[in-house]
Structure formats: C-alpha cells, structure tokens
Amino acid sequence: MKRFFRTALLLALGLPLQAQQAASPPRTTIASAADDPKMTGFISALMQKMTLEEKIGQLNLITVGFDVTGPVISKDVDANIRRGAVGAVLNTFTPTAARKLQEMAVKETRLHIPLLFGYDVIHGHRTIFPIALGMAASWDLAAVERSARVAAEEAAADGINWVYSPMVDIARDPRWGRISEGAGEDPFLGSQIARAMVRGYQGPTNDLSRSNAVMACVKHFALYGAAEAGRDYNTTDMSLPRMYNEYLPPYKAALDAGAGSVMSSFNDINGVPATGNKWLMTDLLRQQWGFRGFVVTDYTSINEMTNHGLGNDAQTSALALNAGIDQDMVGEVFLRNLAQNLKEGTVKQEQIDQACRRVLEAKYKLGLFQDPYRGVTEKRAKATLMKKEYLDAARDVARKSMVLLKNRNSTLPLRKTGTLALVGPLANRQHDVLGSWSAAGDWKQAVSVEQGIRQAAGSAVKVLTARGVNLTDDAQLIARLNAHGGALDIDPRPAAAQIEEAVQVARQADVVVAVVGEAQGMSGEAASRADLGLPGQQLALLKALKQTGKPLVVVLMSGRPLTLTWEDENADALLETWFAGTQAGHAIADVLFGLYNPSGKLTATFPRSVGQIPLYYNHKNTGRPYLGVQLEKYKSRYLDEVNDPLYPFGYGLSYTTFQYGKPQLSTTTLGPTGALEVRVTVQNTGSYDGEEVAQLYIRDVVGSISRPVQELKGFQKVFLKKGESRTLTFRLTPDDLKFYNQDLQFVAEPGEFQVMVGGNSRDVQMTTFTLAAQ
Ligand code: BGC
C-alpha cells in the first residue's frame, strides 16, 4: 500500500521512479522527550492485564453533551464507560459533569483507567477571544500565546484535559468557512502561531501533569484548508513540493513545539482520505517527523471513508488502523470491527497494542493515573472562570486583532461629542460577536457594539439606533442558523421600510456607524459561501446611508475575507473586527474612539471578486506574468478583472502613518554558513503614537523549481511614539532560504535573492543579495 501510494504519487508528479528514495526527506526529531522508562513500565504492566475489548475501548471516543458536528450521537454511554469500552469523552465539561463520568471510569471499570476529556477550545473556553483569523492579524505572538494560556487555565479548571486546537490549516480560499479558525494563508506566520498556541496550552516545558495544562491536538492533518472550490469536506489534490513548502510547515511546527496529539482531516489527499492514508499518518508523521503522540480521527471520519468509496465499516476500520490512526472519534467503527478485523487477519495485534499504548501514554503524561480529577472542583472553577484579568486579556487581544482597512480624511478616531447613529443588523448582537466554535462562551456575558459604544461614550455622545435591515433575508439560511444557536430575530417589515428608518436616524446624526457583516454561523465548519459580499440587503443599507452625506464608518464582522469594492470606494472608514469575542464591544469602542490605535494586519488576502480566488500573496510568477500593459493579450490575467487583490496580505492602516527607509544589507554576498543583517529605519510620521508590523519578504530569483514571488521570512511589531524613528534589524541565514526541491530535499540554492521590507506585502522596498555557492 505504502509503495503503491508513493509510486502513484511519483507518477502523478512526473517524477522518475528512481526518485522514490530521494522523495523521502530525512527524518527529523520531534522536540518531545524520549520515552520515560517509568511510564513504559507502568503501561506495559497495565496492558498485560487488559483484554482485547479493553484495549479497543481505549481507541473509542464518545460524545456526551451537545455540539455534535455529525450525524452520530453516542448511545449507551454509562454502560460503555463501565465496561471499559470508552477511552475518551468529547463535549463534557464542568467539574461536576466531568467528575461523574471520571468516577465511573476510575471506580467502576475493571482496571480503573481514567478518561480523557476533549473539547473544541479554539479561541477561548469561557472567556472568548477573537476568532483565530483575527488573533493572527495581531501578529503578536505573546498575545496569541496568552490567549491559549487563559483558555487552558479555564478549560482545565472546568474538567477538560485535551483541547482540539491549534487548527493550523493553511487556507487561501475565503469561500471555505473554516478559514476563520486558522491563521490565514502564510506558512511562516502560521508556524509561529502554531508554536505559540501549543506553548500556551501545554505550558513552556510541556509538562502536561501540571493541573492547569491541557494537551493540544494539532488539526486537521492534513491539507484540509485546500478543499477544492472552498467547499467544506471537499477533495484536495496537491503536489509534494507544494505540500512540503506551503501547507505542511505549521503542522510540523506545532509538533516540534511538543503538541501531544494530532487530528486527522476529513478530506481525501491525492486519492486516499487522510484518515486512511498510511503515507500521511505513518511515513510522514511517524517516520519522517518522528511524532510520538497519538492520532485521533475527526468526527466519524472512519465511517465517512465508505462515502469516499474506500469500502464498508470493516474495511475502513482496518484501513484506518493500518494507516496509523489511534483513536476513533464518535464513529464506533473500531469498537464494532477491530476484534473481527483481528480474527480475519486484516489488522495485527501489535497495531491495536500500539494504538492503545499511545492513548495510555497521553493519559500518563497528563498525570491522570495519579490524579484522574486533576484537582478540579467547583470552587476552583468559580475562582478561575472569566476572571477579570482574563477579560482584560481578551479585550487587549481583540483590539490588537482589528484591521483598519480604510480611513478617509481621518474619519476615525471619533470625537466624543455630538450625535452618533448606530445602525446595522450586528450593532446590538451579543450572540454573533463570539464567532463560531465559541466553546463554553456565554453570549449573555458578551459585550455588543452598542453596549461598548454606550459605555465608552457616556453622556458626551447622543447615540441613536436603528437596525436598518435584517442580516439576511434567506429564509432557509436563517432557519439553519437558528437551528444551531444563531438566535437571529427577524424584523418582518420590508427592507425598504427598515432602511428608511435608519436613514431618518442617520440624518439626525453627525456620524453614522454601520455594523454589518456575517452572522457568527456563516463561517466555521460547514459554512462555505459562493458569494462573498455582505449578505442580504446590507449593501443596500450602506448605499442609502451614504446618500445622506454623513460620514460613514463601516464596522465589519466576518469570519473570512469578503469582497468589499463598493465599501472600499464609498465608506469613509472601514474597520474589520472579525468576531472579537466576549469583550468585542469594548474593544471596538476603544478603537473607534481612539483609546487604542489599530495595528492589525491581514493574514489572508481580500480579493476584489470571487472569480480571483484562490488569491494569495506568495503565488508563482507564471511564464506570462501580467505587468499592467493593457493591450498585451497573451498574459496571465482576466478580461474582466484585475489580478491585484483589494487588500493584500499584511495590509492594515493605523491612525498614524509610518515611513520606511531603504533596507540596508550588512553584505551583498551571503556565504553558505554566514548570516546577513537587513536594517531598515521605520519612522512614525503621523500624529498619533502607534504600533507597526514591519514585514520582511524574500524572493528566490532563480531556482531548480519555480519559487514564489514573495515569501514572508520575518516580522517585528514595534511601538513608535509620534515622530519617533527606529532602525530594525532582521537576520537571515542560508537556513531561511531553504525550500523542498523536486526531490524533497531541503536546500538553499546559490544565486540571487531579493529582499523586501514594508508595512504590507505590496508596499515594499527592495534590494538584492547573492547566496554564494562556497
Ligand atoms: C471538526 C473538528 C472538531 C470535531 C469535534 C469536527 O466536525 O471538524 O474540528 O474538533 O468536530 O467537535
């Protein structure tokens, strides 16, 4: 199977079969500690006592509670736990609920093996931080790590020991709703964020036995973000160099940081679904990368291999185990089939043992055999959950995540005087600001934009409100959103009447703030969109408001890049706030009134139109790049659209302005073991203090394979007082220039390189250097 798959891949790539050897990059070692002999001895002794059924039980994860994302709900929960047929539980939290099940496992099963408690803690547990795409836009690794630490402390206090995060799928297609859950389109930034998240969850020493650490689960392995046409769960098909260079680095980075577990993805990869893909789960993950933790499937993804066309339950069960899967999420395929698979010889005892051992090792590392309850009590939970310092951290990260896309005539920050018209279907929504996957976040404790603005404005500003339009008028979509907790209340009046009401309100005001965008359920899982404009009549509302001639500030909420050409041309200010979490309203008010000067930068390109997708900054040049000469026909371009995005990767404005000097190099020839310093002076030339994210990109001008026109290789977030200037130093070594070549060797190839520095990927200053051969 392994040889077959690799051979098929090589053939598909047009690689000669002799390249088979070379196509296995050298094994690297994961930073996690080698096996602890005490642990090995303990688990061996325990496994000696285990029956086959009990071993298979450890490979079974059930869902108890809510939040199910698939058709299957676990049955016979108590009986299965008591007979040792359950290794882990998903969706159960609170000290009382978790303890009840843990006691069942520890006191009532034959061998007293504790359970893992997993949950989708993605951007906070009770205190909800901005969605991951928003947090990434902060380019602030310490803030991102802090968010994961707060989430870990809350989740651990609430009975959880395992979180299904970080989600590190590179995504270049904003039609895919799950772009909201990751760090965006760039492997370099994505890798740094992946590491920061793992450190936050597991702690700096990866000592999972500390009662406030939780085990991370890197997902979705792999390439889930490359689903064709941006449609969720769809197929991926990708060359190996693209995988290794562009999509795999963040998974590897999270594992190098010590993440204890991996979740397989739903998608098919070059013909074999990830969950049954031995090349992926064993050759790459275990042999090349040296991963020693355990792999859980995504929700019922073994069962789904039947729909993929890989066989019935019995066949997919064997396929998954043989591929290297250790635990079956909710599908109970292992539970129903492995014993029979063993009898029939389609799986081996060693494989069941190995999977069981890996799950038990995770439990051991979490200290569950010593204290299955990890000191969880209602009292500790009460003292921990939603502490003031956590709320402050959420507000801080939320402010940092917002991206100012437009600010004509310094419309923002708003002055605290006069009359403000606050309109739009998201202006008073507490539900939506939490975003998708808001774990145990309680919308009633979330701050809406209206609440935030009223509190910030006090009596100094008169605030008038009108909704303007419903968020969408697609009845089916509303029904679906509401069936999954959307709680949209719909105004039955025609849109025209609602818009007229909002226009009347706007006419009485000095400035209009329109809060528009997506409902929280319009991004995330199973939320792909083919049209990326504002849903429903929201654009019509903005157009009517514009007609009043009042300054129009558009506050956007979305889980993805949207197409915003009208908004870009017509809004006086445009602020992307994503779904900013529990403290959203306060954070948005802080930015609108200038208590915080925005510093976020996009980590996913905003296209002008859906037809440009996939659109990403680190693309290839092609043989016929379009250089803007209109009459040239045979160029890589569209007849009816430009190639450029509306807002490029790395883009974001501030209330102040920054000017970059030309980058200076310490040498123009970099030796194979040397280092190069790139110095650039950044000056705050505007009239506010502010933070800037200085970004460094390279281009490998000549390579043995075509190379991207730009690749991010460094960034620094700096605070500069108005008028202040600072020289920043970036360091590049030949290691930073390495990439996987056609034979998947990780090499830096001598020759010319461009180095570009600027405040976004488009507005850069460039210079060149040479990487010497000797
Ligand atoms: C999602 C995962 C999630 C799992 C458990 C799946 O549908 O794809 O991201 O961790 O459900 O809730």
Side-chain angles (χ1 to χ4, degrees), residues 404-408 534 539 542-543 546 552 554 556 562-575 602 606-608 645-648 651 653 762:
L404 184 64
L405 297 171
K406 195 102 218 167
N407 195 17
R408 210 171 264 123
L534 289 174
L539 185 56
L542 294 185
K543 287 181 175 168
K546 174 77 185 169
L552 176 61
V554 175
L556 271 174
L562 298 174
T563 50
L564 300 166
T565 44
W566 187 92
E567 294 82 342
D568 176 69
E569 273 164 33
N570 294 284
D572 295 288
L574 193 51
L575 180 71
L602 300 177
F606 273 47
R608 289 173 186 277
L646 183 62
Y647 304 121
Y651 174 84
L653 303 172
R762 181 188 61 204

Side-chain angles (χ1 to χ4, degrees), residues 349-367:
Q349 181 69 48
E350 299 88 83
Q351 286 164 304
I352 296 176
D353 285 351
Q354 190 182 48
C356 175
R357 179 177 287 278
R358 287 179 185 144
V359 172
L360 294 175
E361 281 179 359
K363 295 183 178 184
Y364 185 96
K365 287 181 187 153
L366 282 161

Side-chain angles (χ1 to χ4, degrees), residues 67-70 90-91 119-120 122 164 167 178 181 219-220 224 233 263 266 297-299 329 437 525:
D67 268 1
V68 287
T69 53
L90 152 65
N91 290 331
Y119 194 43
D120 287 289
I122 309 295
Y164 300 145
M167 189 282 212
R178 304 196 79 170
E181 296 174 47
K219 71 185 189 185
H220 305 82
Y224 186 34
Y233 316 120
M263 186 185 294
F266 287 124
T297 68
D298 204 344
Y299 203 101
M329 187 190 289
W437 291 117
E525 187 171 355

Side-chain angles (χ1 to χ4, degrees), residues 327 408 472 496:
Q327 197 172 62
R408 210 171 264 123
T472 169

Side-chain angles (χ1 to χ4, degrees), residues 483-503:
H484 294 272
L488 283 178
D489 54 327
I490 297 300
D491 186 334
R493 290 177 300 160
Q498 295 179 56
I499 290 177
E500 184 46 35
E501 185 179 79
V503 164

